[in-house]
Amino acid sequence: MTQAHAELVRANELAPSLADDAATILAGLTAPQKRLSPKYFYDEAGSQLFDAICELPEYYLTRTEHAIMERHLDEMAALIGSGTAVIEFGSGSSRKIRQLLDRLDGPLAYVPVDISEDYLSSMAGALARDYPALQVLPVFADFTRPFDLPAFSVLPSRNLVFFPGSTIGNFEHEQARALLEVMRHEAGPGGALLIGVDLQKDPSVVHAAYNDGAGVTAAFNLNVLRRLNAELDATFDLDGFRHEAIYDEREGRIEMRLVSLRSQRAMVADRVIDFSADEHIVTEYSHKYSQEGFETLARSAGLEPTRAWHDSRGLFSVQYLTVPD
Ligand code: AVJ
């Protein structure tokens, strides 16, 4: 492993701080239905709160996905084959990628793609040390748009796009289809995708996962206002809003909101944002799929649903999709 292998590739333009996204954020906060993208949750504090969410008894997603992977990794590895380049969309948790790399047959390269440069370089460095045979080639990019893959010194037998955690659920169906098309493009003909997808289930189970008793999800949701105050000269009163997460069964999704407790005004980067009592900002959608619904979505993106693994309670799924030659 040479130092060059862990050097960052900058693949497209992006916004490292909220200030660079001010126009988009203000457009969302001045729309008839106020909204903020869930990607703004993940500053340092937000990432720590998300890690705490993953440990909550009510939040079944992370531990169920982990258990599905543990149980079926031999079969997954057999399907994926040897000499693969693993491209991770949003280098989330290094625990998940290690779980996969440890069981794959001679993986050739690992390409984490993320907009968080600090996180990307530290995790890439650690992986390069722990997996000396692996080319670790981080790409600093917004994965919702096509990006150039780094040059591999040895040609991979196939590309595997890895997208765990049900992050796909954050996207509305049309955007999710567009993202799957980017993944198909990056995997290339003969390539494959391994994606974690949360499943539709008893609404009370979903509801509890986003309304935990300890209030960690509420703190995670409210943290985005603290972040706007710190990075965009905003003046939100953090005690003036409450967390709400409702499961819309018809849409098959959780909608997270910040509800204004009273009529109030906040400044955001010199703009006035007025709230009436009970008015809310939509901060996140988290879509849940049926197996059939996800397969239809995958096919609409030109992908072939090849295999899917569920836990015994039908809470979560890991989907293996292939790109036709
Ligand atoms: C990281 C998008 C999968 O939708 O469950 C957790 C984020 N939001 N609790 C999800 C989240 C509230 C999470 N994803």
Side-chain angles (χ1 to χ4, degrees), residues 42 50 53 59 61 165-167 170 210 217 220 256 284 286:
Y42 301 95
F50 181 65
I53 286 173
Y59 195 76
L61 287 80
S166 198
T167 305
N170 277 169
Y210 295 85
T217 309
F220 173 72
M256 286 228 304
E284 182 174 51
S286 187

Side-chain angles (χ1 to χ4, degrees), residues 36-268:
L36 281 169
S37 166
K39 70 182 173 192
Y40 302 129
F41 284 139
Y42 301 95
D43 65 348
E44 181 83 37
S47 300
Q48 281 176 16
L49 286 164
F50 181 65
D51 288 347
I53 286 173
C54 293
E55 305 288 328
L56 293 169
E58 297 96 332
Y59 195 76
Y60 59 84
L61 287 80
T62 314
R63 79 177 62 87
T64 309
E65 179 178 59
H66 186 263
I68 295 169
M69 297 286 292
E70 265 319 293
R71 179 155 187 185
H72 299 289
L73 258 164
D74 287 342
E75 188 190 351
M76 293 175 188
L79 285 167
I80 292 161
S82 62
T84 305
V86 180
I87 303 160
E88 185 171 14
F89 274 47
S91 60
S93 126
S94 92
R95 179 158 173 247
K96 293 179 189 175
I97 190 60
R98 284 167 188 265
Q99 184 188 26
L100 180 66
L101 291 172
D102 286 346
R103 302 276 280 278
L104 286 184
D105 182 10
L108 193 87
Y110 172 55
V111 182
V113 184
D114 208 294
I115 50 167
S116 167
E117 187 169 11
D118 288 350
Y119 184 73
L120 200 53
S121 34
S122 70
M123 78 94 81
L127 272 170
R129 275 191 299 280
D130 294 347
Y131 296 83
L134 195 69
Q135 300 178 59
V136 180
L137 304 162
V139 173
F140 181 55
D142 172 358
F143 62 66
T144 62
R145 286 175 287 142
F147 52 88
D148 288 334
L149 287 174
F152 300 108
S153 59
V154 178
L155 218 58
S157 55
R158 68 151 53 92
N159 293 341
L160 175 79
V161 168
F162 183 48
F163 194 44
S166 198
T167 305
I168 188 111
N170 277 169
F171 297 84
E172 294 186 66
H173 296 298
E174 188 44 45
Q175 300 171 303
R177 194 186 56 73
L179 178 57
L180 288 172
E181 281 177 349
V182 173
M183 293 181 177
R184 188 192 71 193
H185 170 80
E186 303 300 340
L193 280 55
L194 192 64
I195 306 186
V197 179
D198 197 16
L199 295 174
Q200 292 178 358
K201 63 184 69 63
D202 180 346
S204 66
V205 175
V206 182
H207 185 269
Y210 295 85
N211 291 278
D212 64 280
V216 183
T217 309
F220 173 72
N221 198 5
L222 283 157
N223 176 62
V224 75
L225 297 183
R226 193 202 47 75
R227 192 178 176 199
L228 288 168
N229 287 351
E231 294 181 36
L232 260 190
D233 289 325
T235 62
F236 286 103
D237 171 11
L238 270 64
D239 295 323
F241 291 84
R242 69 176 168 86
H243 162 73
E244 183 172 83
I246 54 143
Y247 185 53
D248 182 336
E249 266 189 84
R250 204 175 50 85
E251 298 280 358
R253 70 185 178 203
I254 280 282
E255 189 175 319
M256 286 228 304
R257 302 169 170 175
L258 289 165
V259 185
S260 177
L261 293 173
R262 47 184 160 78
S263 138
Q264 59 183 316
R265 167 169 288 186
M267 300 297 296
V268 181

